[in-house]
Amino acid sequence: MSLTISHRNVGDVAVLDLSGKITIGEGSVQLRNAVKSLLENGNKNILLNLGDVSYVDSSGIGELVHSYTTVKNQQGQLKLLNLTKKIQDLLMITKLLTVFDTFDNEADAVASFA
């Protein structure tokens, strides 16, 4: 199962609902292109909903970090929503859980951009 990304806006926050796998190759390229497109269109507040992401490999983790850095360098914010236990554990092991703002509730996540 490859990565599927759908975009919606909640106020001034661009929410990307991700489903599938963020892996080397197509999955990480899709995520990079989606974030790049949002930034080019002036969206600086980006929320990645990872609730339906079944797997993230090391390339996928790298792409999350790259996306975070790219958005931050554009004076924006990128936050994560609905981490699965596997993804949360992976971010904890790599010490990246301290880098990302993470949320279990979309309303709280959206409000945090204010």
Side-chain angles (χ1 to χ4, degrees):
M1 176 187 209
S2 61
L3 184 66
T4 304
I5 301 174
S6 61
H7 168 238
R8 59 192 167 88
N9 286 315
V10 179
D12 66 345
V13 177
V15 180
L16 292 180
D17 294 308
L18 283 63
S19 178
K21 298 178 179 180
I22 306 173
T23 58
I24 191 166
E26 190 177 321
S28 59
V29 171
Q30 283 179 272
L31 178 56
R32 179 176 299 203
N33 290 341
V35 170
K36 181 181 174 191
S37 175
L38 289 174
L39 289 171
E40 287 171 352
N41 289 315
N43 294 292
K44 303 264 186 191
N45 295 329
I46 301 173
L47 182 62
L48 300 182
N49 181 358
L50 304 176
D52 289 329
V53 172
S54 58
Y55 181 75
V56 179
D57 69 3
S58 59
S59 178
I61 291 290
E63 194 53 50
L64 289 174
V65 172
H66 177 269
S67 295
Y68 175 85
T69 304
T70 301
V71 172
K72 191 170 177 98
N73 287 342
Q74 298 282 327
Q75 285 71 51
Q77 298 181 75
L78 182 136
K79 301 181 182 188
L80 306 179
L81 173 66
N82 294 327
L83 299 181
T84 64
K85 174 100 170 80
K86 279 184 182 179
I87 295 173
Q88 189 167 3
D89 289 348
L90 190 57
L91 291 177
M92 192 173 352
I93 289 167
T94 58
K95 305 246 187 275
L96 291 171
L97 202 54
T98 60
V99 173
F100 292 101
D101 286 338
T102 62
F103 298 87
D104 296 325
N105 175 292
E106 185 173 310
D108 291 342
V110 169
S112 76
F113 285 96

